[in-house]
Amino acid sequence: MPKAGEVAQIERFFAGVDAQAGTRFMLDKPFSHDDCPRYLVELGRVLTLLPPPPARVLDLGVGMGWTTVFLALRGYHVVGQDICGDAIELARRNAARYGVTTAEFAVTDYESMTYRDEFDAALFYDALHHAEDERAALAGVSAALKPGGVCLAVEPGEGHATSAPTLEYVARYGVTEKDMPPRHVIDVARGVGFRSFRVYSRDLEPTPVLVADLDARPAASRAAPFPGRIATSLRFARKALRALLKGTCAEDGQQLFGTPVPKPEPELRESAIIWMRK
Ligand SMILES: C[S@@+](CC[C@H](N)C(=O)[O-])C[C@H]1O[C@@H](n2cnc3c(N)ncnc32)[C@H](O)[C@@H]1O
C-alpha cells in the first residue's frame, strides 16, 4: 500500500521503545535530539527567510509538530499537516503543552491538497524528500500560496537516499527516502508556477560569525612595503609579456583591467535551504 510506511511510522517506533521515554523523546524535539544545535540554528534561518508574523504559514510534513509550535509561538498563524495521524495527535498534544492557540493541525497527504490562494508562506522542513511525487506536492503548495507567496524547503542533497543510516531507516520503517538537491527542487518548482529562487547553505559554519578577536595581533600596515611594489610590478610585467607572446586568459583580464570573470553555474547538489517565490 503506498505511503503505508509513513502512516505507520510512529506505531512502529513505539513498538521498539518504552512508551513514556519514547513520547518524551518525540515531544521534546528539538531539545531531545543530538542535532539540537543544528535544528535551532536552521529554524532561526527559516525565521529570517519567512515573511514577518502574523503571516499565515502552511507547515508540511510536521511530524510531532515542533516547527509548528515554534512558528506559532513566534506569532504566525500556522496550519501543520502530516499524513500520519499518530504524529498529528502528538503534535496537538505538543501545541497544548505550550499553550499554542494560533495553530491548526490536519491529517492530509501533501501530494493531494486542496488549499487555494490562502497562505503567505509554506515550509517543508526535512519533509519533501519523503514525497512519492514531489511535483504534486510542490504544485499543491503553489496553488495554496497567495500571489508572491514564499515556499522554503530545508532538504538533504545528493547521496542522502543511499547513505547507510537512511537505508537502515527505510528497512525499519518502510518510508520513502529520496535525494532532494536544490537543482532538482528548482527544476520541479519552476514547472508548477514558482518564479524566483535562492539557495542557502545548511552548513553550520561559520557559526557564530567572528566579529573581533581581541587576542589577535594588530593588523599589519596596509601600504605595501617598497620591495613589495617592485615584486608586484615585475609580476604584472611578466604577465603582460606572456600575454603578448602566448595570448591572454580570463584571469589576466581580471588582474590587469578588473574585467569580471564569469562565474560557472553552481551545481546545487548539496543539502540546502531553498527559497522559492510564486
Ligand atoms: C523526517 S520527518 C520530519 C518531520 C518534521 N518536519 C520534523 O522536522 O520533525 C518527515 C515527515 O513527513 C511526513 N510525510 C511523508 N510523506 C507525506 C505526505 N505525502 N503528506 C504529508 N506528510 C508526509 C512523514 O509522515 C513525516 O512526519
Side-chain angles (χ1 to χ4, degrees):
M1 183 186 151
K3 300 173 189 170
E6 270 75 18
V7 173
Q9 63 190 303
I10 299 293
E11 200 183 319
R12 288 182 186 160
F13 170 81
F14 276 109
V17 297
D18 169 70
Q20 210 178 356
T23 307
R24 273 207 78 111
F25 179 74
M26 291 275 183
L27 290 182
D28 285 349
K29 189 175 180 180
F31 307 106
S32 53
H33 285 55
D34 291 344
D35 256 350
C36 179
R38 164 178 296 285
Y39 290 137
L40 293 177
V41 167
E42 285 188 347
L43 203 75
R45 287 178 182 162
V46 163
L47 290 177
T48 69
L49 297 171
L50 285 175
R56 208 165 133 69
V57 180
L58 177 57
D59 196 2
L60 298 134
V62 298
M64 286 69 61
W66 74 274
T67 50
T68 312
V69 168
F70 264 73
L71 293 177
L73 290 172
R74 174 70 190 125
Y76 290 99
H77 290 266
V78 198
V79 174
Q81 69 80 238
D82 201 287
I83 199 169
C84 175
D86 291 339
I88 288 297
E89 204 178 302
L90 286 168
R92 288 198 171 106
R93 271 175 69 179
N94 217 358
R97 204 159 64 127
Y98 288 98
V100 163
T101 54
T102 52
E104 293 162 41
F105 292 96
V107 182
T108 48
D109 183 343
Y110 59 39
E111 292 170 35
S112 52
M113 294 186 295
T114 53
Y115 302 112
R116 290 288 173 272
D117 291 336
E118 49 190 290
F119 291 94
D120 302 294
L123 171 66
F124 286 102
Y125 191 94
D126 257 337
L128 184 61
H129 68 284
H130 293 281
E132 283 188 349
D133 181 354
E134 56 272 28
R135 191 179 187 286
L138 285 165
V141 171
S142 175
L145 289 173
K146 298 174 189 169
V150 163
C151 174
L152 300 178
V154 186
E155 297 296 330
E158 288 187 2
H160 169 76
T162 48
S163 73
T166 304
L167 293 176
E168 198 187 315
Y169 196 80
V170 171
R172 183 178 301 174
Y173 294 107
V175 296
T176 301
E177 289 271 7
K178 290 180 173 176
D179 292 353
M180 203 51 68
R183 176 60 67 205
H184 175 65
V185 175
I186 290 168
D187 286 348
V188 175
R190 196 169 264 137
V192 297
F194 287 93
R195 299 279 164 257
S196 309
F197 303 91
R198 292 178 199 153
V199 178
Y200 297 89
S201 167
R202 281 181 88 175
D203 283 352
L204 290 190
E205 299 298 337
T207 299
V209 177
L210 184 66
V211 173
D213 178 357
L214 301 187
D215 288 341
R217 290 159 62 182
S221 155
R222 282 176 155 255
F226 182 66
R229 268 195 251 160
I230 291 182
T232 307
S233 309
L234 283 175
R235 234 178 101 226
F236 272 84
R238 213 168 41 234
K239 270 194 172 291
L241 194 62
R242 204 197 63 199
L244 252 178
L245 299 174
K246 296 189 176 170
T248 54
C249 64
E251 194 186 291
D252 292 335
Q254 207 268 330
Q255 284 194 359
L256 294 168
F257 309 111
T259 318
V261 181
K263 280 197 191 143
E265 255 294 275
E267 292 191 347
L268 304 177
R269 296 164 183 269
E270 305 288 323
S271 183
I273 302 177
I274 307 145
W275 175 99
M276 313 168 246
R277 180 154 32 216
K278 187 175 159 184

